[in-house]
Amino acid sequence: MRWIGAVAVGSLVLGGVLFTSSATLSRFVFDRMAERAVARDLREELPDGLHAFLCGSGSPMPDPGRAGPCIGVLAGKRAFIFDAGAGGARRLARMGFPMSALETVYLTHLHSDHFDGLGELMLQAWIGGARAAPLPIAGPQGVEEVVGGFVDAYRIDSTYRIAHHGAAVADPKGYGAVPIVLAPPAPGPDAARVILSDQGVTITLIRVSHPPVDPAFGYRIDYKGRSVVISGDTVRSESLVRASKGADVLFHEALQPEMMRTLAAVADDRRATALSQVLTDVLDYHASPVDAAHVAREAGVGLLVMHHIAPPLPVPFFNAAYMDGVQAIIGNRAIVGSDGLLISLPSGASRIDRRKIL
Ligand SMILES: [Zn+2]
Ligand SMILES: [Zn+2]
């Protein structure tokens, strides 16, 4: 009996040591991670150039691994955000995207999955970015109504934050947003025009095809010879091909039609007829991965990154089915985008660096 007691006491002592050390170790690691995670500004670590932060690679379909459409762009020290899908702003904060440098949010179109994270983004830009003026949000006609709605919806919250943190942290002058209506380029294969050109940064507005949503936009960003194009939501579009000529990176939306049809058939079997119809209807105003590959090849882009990914791909194992047929068109110059991907295009170089920072 004595050895049983000794083992029991020994186990208790060992358990206590392990418990203490695991808590201590856990706290030690947490403290080290906090140093890297809180208020990090990646501009201090990145070379001069154009950098794209993929903060949301998902679609409206529920996807635990992907936030809604969102891409942060750093052009030198200047910051812009394209689309504000739900969850994207929180991803950006964790990626070290400098909210304090944010100049403008550009919306591709007014489908709600592209702006349903706007409230959170406004809040982070205001407090996290220490804004002293409302955030400019640009988009197609109707952006005034969308932005006005978010400003109204968050006004009560803003009064609590000003009262609690004080004006030095939550500057009342920095609350809210101002809409900027972007007039669409005339339709046609060359439907694009420059909307910003200063200090070496050029942003080109591209009119794409996403009926009945019209106008719907894509954007091209150029800085010191490097370039990124963001398709917005569109079917295969000639204007996008032309505006993407020679770009380093193209982020193109893509829904995989066969996989979507499988989901629609299952919904149909379960008598979820409205869902089944939606899953089928969406195919006629989106591109497939193969469509995106054709656009990328015709435009001669360096790297195609799929985003606005549907259906959800819960594990990378399904990437092969999603990308079926892409390699035959564009070889290995295409990847499936994922949240936390940082693509860097250093100025004065031609390489395309990519790494996951989430
Ligand atoms: Zn859309
Ligand atoms: Zn969409």
Side-chain angles (χ1 to χ4, degrees), residues 312-319:
L313 309 171
V315 289
F317 174 72
F318 296 116
N319 289 7

Side-chain angles (χ1 to χ4, degrees), residues 161-351:
R161 296 187 192 276
I162 294 164
H164 192 186
H165 305 300
V169 171
D171 185 344
K173 296 193 300 300
Y175 172 70
V178 285
I180 299 168
V181 178
L182 299 172
D190 291 309
R193 68 184 176 85
V194 172
I195 54 171
L196 179 144
S197 180
D198 74 304
Q199 299 169 60
V201 181
T202 303
I203 298 180
T204 305
L205 183 69
I206 310 159
R207 189 169 187 165
V208 294
S209 179
H210 190 45
V213 182
D214 186 48
F217 299 143
Y219 295 91
R220 174 173 175 141
I221 306 95
D222 286 83
Y223 176 73
K224 292 191 175 175
R226 308 307 305 265
S227 49
V228 167
V229 178
I230 296 164
S231 71
D233 282 7
T234 182
V235 294
R236 185 173 165 178
S237 162
E238 179 60 26
S239 58
L240 189 67
V241 171
R242 294 194 187 187
S244 304
K245 283 282 185 227
D248 290 300
V249 178
L250 168 63
F251 289 91
H252 202 299
E253 68 113 287
L255 276 70
Q256 214 294 338
E258 283 84 26
M259 296 167 92
M260 294 294 287
R261 285 193 193 99
T262 298
L263 298 185
V266 172
D268 208 34
D269 285 347
R270 294 187 173 152
R271 301 191 197 292
T273 46
L275 176 60
S276 176
Q277 184 171 342
V278 168
L279 291 170
T280 307
D281 285 350
V282 294
L283 295 176
D284 70 13
Y285 66 6
H286 286 290
S288 68
V290 165
D291 290 333
H294 281 295
V295 170
R297 187 181 65 179
E298 289 169 35
V301 304
L303 179 70
L304 168 64
V305 183
M306 305 294 184
H307 85 137
H308 200 281
I309 287 164
L313 309 171
V315 289
F317 174 72
F318 296 116
N319 289 7
Y322 176 87
M323 295 288 268
D324 191 20
V326 168
Q327 192 174 30
I329 299 162
I330 195 173
N332 291 323
R333 289 186 293 131
I335 59 172
V336 178
S338 57
D339 292 17
L341 176 67
L342 172 65
I343 293 186
S344 289
L345 308 170
S347 62
S350 58
R351 69 180 196 273

